Amino acid sequence: MQKTQQRGHSRRGPGGYVVLEPDGGAGKNREFKLGYSDLDRLKAYLNRYAITFGLFQDNTFQDRLFPFGTVPRVIGPWEFDTLEKGLRQRVHALNLFLHDIYHERKVLRDKIVPEEFVFSCPAYLPEVYGVRPPAGVYAHLSGIDLVQAADGTWFILEDNLRVPSGASYPLIAREAYHTVCPGLISGMPVRESRDYPNMLGRVMDDVNPGGISVVLSPGRFNAAFFEHSYLAEKMGVPLVFGNDLEVDGEFVYFKDVGGHRERVGAVYRRLSDEYLDPMVFEPDSIIGVPNLMSVYRKGNVAVINAVGNGIADDKGIYYFVPALIKYYLGEEAILRNAPTYLPFFERDRKHVLQNLHRLVIKDVAEAGGYGVVFGSRLSADKRRLLADAIRTEPRRFIGQEVVEFRSLQVFDQHRVVRRRADLRAYVLHGKDISVWPSGLTRYAMDRGSMIVNSSQGGGFKDTWVLSL
Amino acid sequence: MGLISLRTANQLYWLGRYVQRGLDLLHRLYDTHSNETAPVGLRYEEFCECLGIESEFANRDAFLQALFFEKENSYSILFSLTTAYENAVFLRNTIGHEGFAYLRLAFNTLESLRVVNFYDVKPVIDYLYAFWGSLDECADRRVRAMVRWGKWVEIRDLAGRFEDADDKLEKAVGQLQENLHVLEVAEYLNVAQALDREGGIDFTNELFTTIYRP
């Protein structure tokens, strides 16, 4: 009974409602409520459009509906202002790092990042050494994962500069709110987020050396195929597969069924570097575009994000990002990393091995929530095996303090429960760097779980950013 | 004018055919159901013959059950809508997500039914019409023409099988000719000659293998 009186909790029963809880104390003087019936309608709205996130389970592809947590996350204007500044700063520095690594390598000479740490990273691609992408932009679209600790402090957990997915989900969810409860969303007031396809389109235009823009998808059985399709529709550009494009001489072309060809100037690719061009990378790739890299090297096509970006979002490089910000921009990092240790360094390795029981260990080669191990949950035997692996391959792991991040309200079968949630913020870099005033909030399905990844069954929420 | 790849064109064509096959069969069954004893309605044995299915069902109800819901049989309506939906998943950006949603609603509604009840089936017909309407409103001219090409090939095929009145066949041919101009391929063949052969099906095969650039 006492719980239902707390701020943010709902009144039970069929006429119940949820009181929204803005981060950063915004809207303290006013209560914003979402009725249970609207929450049901929101879910039905998304079901109508088959908002899916595919999962491979037992070697079978399951195109499942992406669980939609209908109670939005709300971020206050001051809170977002700080996030925005910190995210722009971070992406700016990472972009400079990428240029440096593939050109002068001053950062290595100045020993900000150990040379062997870069060259031992599989995501470092010598194939693009000396290649300047159109307009000098590498990280066109970054998905930066953050969590908010119980005391309100935001921590960066991960940078995603290769093929970050997820923006389309809050985007279509926003359409649902505007349809189901327009009064609520305009009364808060929530910053408009539905401009995202235009923001992304502008980035593509900024770097396009000539020709049309396309979204390149690996195919129907990619987990995020819904997103590829949705963004292509909203941007008004063709969704293509590898064999819809061809390289002829200096340029890439889209092959129209009528027999004519259109030059392609910008490729928003949703496939990894290794599958992009079978003539340069994985020779068995049938989802790439043969000789695309030769056109890219000449600067005649922009690939979004740039090829070779993986070196900047490697979980080990993450450790150095505050130092990179200082090195390239002469500024202190506005947003903090979660406290991280690199077993690559002897001192850190010692610390990690002594504190395995309370740290979270991440395999730098894994993504999507895989390869994440909480030391506290391991048996003594398994902890010993992990320690051996760290001693044998120290570059493969990082150790992090466990951040007890905030739980948010989730409406589940006509009751409100709390689940841990992170935030993926999207930073777009064309002529300017901007942060999308929304984001993908991902939450864990199970009570107490800290794994929020969509590929591990997590759900998503829209993120409302309030204006001043 | 929007660009269309060969792969997309092929899928648009099949989307049109399968949507129309589902809709056309639903209409014919509805007429048969409501006119079982009247001369305008077909008996189910005749229906089977027109579709080339062996008439080995225990009774009319068993026939209807199979024709509606046997997903693994290519003659069933559920098979048609499943295949149409699978194509639409690929084509969501091309046909528009509203059109996609109507097809999904039609598919989900039919899939959720267990027994044939024409009142419950009616919304499936409504959603399929909404799909065609949405396509007209939202899709690019060439996209519409390609899906409609599939639609009228199917209408013509079924009209031939069910020996419909001549005016229906003529209308189908007229629609096909109209769409050929939008598809910018009329110059390749004598249109009337092309449509004479198997109601345009042969021509469509040529379209995707020879005329359009593979």
Side-chain angles (χ1 to χ4, degrees):
Chain A
M1 187 63 198
Q2 191 186 359
K3 274 187 174 175
T4 58
Q5 300 304 314
Q6 286 176 3
R7 178 176 160 77
H9 277 258
S10 61
R11 196 178 74 196
R12 293 173 190 275
Y17 54 81
V18 178
V19 180
L20 303 184
E21 301 173 323
D23 287 344
K28 262 182 188 166
N29 304 324
R30 210 174 144 193
E31 260 192 355
F32 294 100
K33 299 172 186 171
L34 253 172
Y36 280 11
S37 56
D38 279 349
L39 293 166
D40 287 336
R41 285 190 196 110
L42 287 160
K43 199 160 262 183
Y45 183 98
L46 257 69
N47 286 348
R48 174 188 170 98
Y49 295 105
I51 312 308
T52 56
F53 191 91
L55 285 180
F56 274 97
Q57 281 179 340
D58 305 324
N59 290 326
T60 308
F61 180 77
Q62 296 177 2
D63 208 8
R64 63 160 203 157
L65 291 174
F66 195 176
F68 175 36
T70 44
V71 183
R73 168 181 233 149
V74 184
I75 299 180
W78 307 114
E79 196 84 12
F80 189 74
D81 188 52
T82 307
L83 289 178
E84 193 169 22
K85 285 179 183 141
L87 290 164
R88 288 174 58 187
Q89 178 196 54
R90 192 170 180 98
V91 168
H92 188 191
L94 286 169
N95 201 71
L96 293 171
F97 170 69
L98 280 163
H99 178 83
D100 193 12
I101 281 296
Y102 288 117
H103 291 83
E104 299 86 1
R105 295 176 176 166
K106 286 188 284 190
V107 73
L108 304 183
R109 284 203 302 276
D110 290 337
K111 302 195 182 307
I112 306 299
V113 180
E115 193 173 290
E116 60 271 39
F117 205 84
V118 169
F119 298 132
S120 63
C121 174
Y124 168 77
L125 298 180
E127 291 87 349
V128 288
Y129 179 73
V131 177
R132 184 182 184 272
V137 180
Y138 292 79
H140 310 83
L141 171 64
S142 306
I144 311 291
D145 295 345
L146 303 107
V147 291
Q148 192 177 28
D151 68 356
T153 310
W154 288 92
F155 291 98
I156 305 271
L157 266 198
E158 199 169 291
D159 304 294
N160 296 280
L161 275 69
R162 299 179 220 199
V163 191
S165 66
S168 62
Y169 302 101
L171 191 61
I172 195 165
R174 189 63 63 89
E175 294 282 358
Y177 290 107
H178 278 280
T179 306
V180 173
C181 45
L184 173 71
I185 200 163
S186 58
M188 291 220 28
V190 181
R191 282 179 66 180
E192 183 56 79
S193 70
R194 289 173 294 173
D195 193 37
Y196 179 81
N198 291 331
M199 290 173 76
L200 186 55
R202 277 196 295 275
V203 166
M204 293 176 81
D205 290 346
D206 284 349
V207 298
N208 187 330
I212 61 165
S213 296
V214 297
V215 176
L216 173 62
S217 169
R220 159 84 174 86
F221 296 109
N222 181 273
F225 183 71
F226 157 74
E227 170 153 298
H228 309 165
S229 179
Y230 189 70
L231 289 178
E233 181 191 354
K234 292 292 172 188
M235 287 196 288
V237 304
L239 175 69
V240 301
F241 296 160
N243 54 13
D244 296 333
L245 302 180
E246 70 179 0
V247 169
D248 187 3
E250 309 274 295
F251 302 107
V252 186
Y253 295 94
F254 176 94
K255 299 182 285 183
D256 182 79
V257 73
H260 59 279
R261 303 189 301 182
E262 283 281 339
R263 184 185 159 190
V264 175
V267 178
Y268 175 35
R269 52 75 177 252
R270 296 299 303 252
L271 57 160
S272 313
D273 288 345
E274 61 264 41
Y275 302 113
L276 204 52
D277 179 351
M279 310 307 282
V280 176
F281 302 116
E282 181 55 59
D284 294 332
S285 170
I286 52 168
I287 55 176
V289 183
N291 297 312
L292 177 68
M293 287 301 293
S294 70
V295 182
Y296 179 66
R297 285 191 186 115
K298 291 181 181 111
N300 288 340
V301 68
V303 175
I304 294 149
N305 285 330
V307 184
N309 272 13
I311 185 60
D313 70 11
D314 176 89
K315 286 189 174 72
I317 293 293
Y318 159 91
Y319 175 89
F320 298 100
V321 176
L324 294 176
I325 291 171
K326 182 86 177 161
Y327 179 71
Y328 290 113
L329 306 177
E331 300 168 3
E332 293 299 328
I334 296 168
L335 294 169
R336 296 163 63 178
N337 274 9
T340 302
Y341 309 96
L342 274 192
F344 178 80
F345 297 127
E346 195 181 338
R347 192 186 58 186
D348 280 15
R349 183 161 65 244
K350 211 168 166 185
H351 179 84
V352 167
L353 292 173
Q354 282 170 356
N355 293 279
L356 260 187
H357 60 284
R358 61 176 194 82
L359 295 176
V360 54
I361 306 298
K362 295 181 178 175
D363 187 327
V364 298
E366 299 277 4
Y370 295 98
V372 177
V373 177
F374 289 85
S376 59
R377 296 183 196 163
L378 292 179
S379 64
D381 278 352
K382 285 196 170 162
R383 210 176 289 159
R384 241 189 325 274
L385 285 173
L386 180 61
D388 288 344
I390 292 169
R391 282 189 201 97
T392 314
E393 295 179 89
R395 172 65 177 87
R396 203 182 125 193
F397 301 96
I398 61 169
Q400 280 181 333
E401 299 290 348
V402 176
V403 179
E404 289 291 341
F405 52 96
R406 274 187 64 187
S407 295
L408 300 179
Q409 301 173 105
V410 172
F411 184 63
D412 182 30
Q413 300 185 345
H414 277 228
R415 67 196 173 103
V416 176
V417 295
R418 290 194 172 266
R419 295 289 180 263
R420 289 218 168 82
D422 78 348
L423 170 66
R424 173 166 290 182
Y426 295 89
V427 187
L428 295 110
H429 188 344
K431 280 182 185 150
D432 306 304
I433 303 177
S434 53
V435 180
W436 184 38
S438 180
L440 175 73
T441 292
R442 301 178 299 181
Y443 64 89
M445 290 307 278
D446 301 320
R447 191 173 168 216
S449 170
M450 298 178 96
I451 303 292
V452 299
N453 304 73
S454 322
S455 50
Q456 301 234 16
F460 82 99
K461 286 167 169 283
D462 187 11
T463 308
W464 292 6
V465 174
L466 301 185
S467 57
L468 286 170
Chain B
M1 186 176 286
L3 298 163
I4 305 177
S5 68
L6 179 64
R7 171 187 55 78
T8 303
N10 202 325
Q11 284 177 318
L12 289 169
Y13 164 74
W14 283 108
L15 172 68
R17 283 198 70 173
Y18 279 113
V19 169
Q20 191 55 36
R21 190 177 301 175
L23 185 57
D24 197 302
L25 289 180
L26 282 169
H27 269 305
R28 288 175 193 277
L29 286 167
Y30 194 82
D31 289 346
T32 303
H33 159 77
S34 52
N35 295 293
E36 183 64 16
T37 56
V40 289
L42 283 172
R43 297 179 59 76
Y44 83 84
E45 294 89 345
E46 293 166 325
F47 208 101
C48 290
E49 198 182 323
C50 293
L51 284 177
I53 310 168
E54 283 195 29
S55 170
E56 53 188 14
F57 302 96
N59 53 38
R60 178 176 166 277
D61 287 346
F63 158 72
L64 284 175
Q65 194 70 21
L67 195 58
F68 269 87
F69 302 122
E70 279 191 4
K71 200 173 181 175
E72 64 278 11
N73 285 327
S74 60
Y75 58 74
S76 81
I77 296 166
L78 189 55
F79 176 89
S80 288
L81 294 196
T82 304
T83 315
Y85 181 69
E86 270 304 309
N87 277 291
V89 170
F90 277 97
L91 298 165
R92 189 196 291 239
N93 64 304
T94 312
I95 60 175
H97 75 285
E98 283 303 333
F100 170 82
Y102 284 122
L103 192 53
R104 175 176 163 77
L105 285 165
F107 168 68
N108 282 353
T109 305
L110 187 65
E111 200 182 34
S112 69
L113 300 177
R114 291 289 171 268
V115 290
V116 178
N117 174 316
F118 281 91
Y119 178 78
D120 293 337
V121 166
K122 197 77 172 74
V124 179
I125 296 175
D126 296 343
Y127 290 136
L128 291 175
Y129 276 120
F131 165 78
W132 284 120
S134 173
L135 194 77
D136 282 346
E137 286 296 312
C138 306
D140 171 86
R141 186 164 165 257
R142 278 212 305 172
V143 168
R144 287 202 306 267
M146 188 53 82
V147 187
R148 280 194 191 140
W149 174 265
K151 170 183 173 169
W152 286 103
V153 165
E154 189 62 32
I155 287 176
R156 194 169 190 275
D157 181 49
L158 289 174
R161 286 169 181 268
F162 283 89
E163 297 176 2
D164 291 342
D166 284 349
D167 60 341
K168 194 166 184 181
L169 283 164
E170 280 164 21
K171 187 180 175 190
V173 172
Q175 289 289 332
L176 284 165
Q177 285 175 327
E178 205 169 282
N179 284 299
L180 270 183
H181 290 289
V182 183
L183 295 173
E184 303 165 333
V185 292
E187 69 209 73
Y188 290 93
L189 273 182
N190 178 312
V191 172
Q193 192 186 30
L195 299 180
D196 268 352
R197 290 180 289 135
E198 293 292 321
I201 293 174
D202 272 4
F203 174 70
T204 308
N205 290 336
E206 259 175 70
L207 188 70
F208 287 116
T209 53
T210 316
I211 299 171
Y212 282 161
R213 212 160 69 92

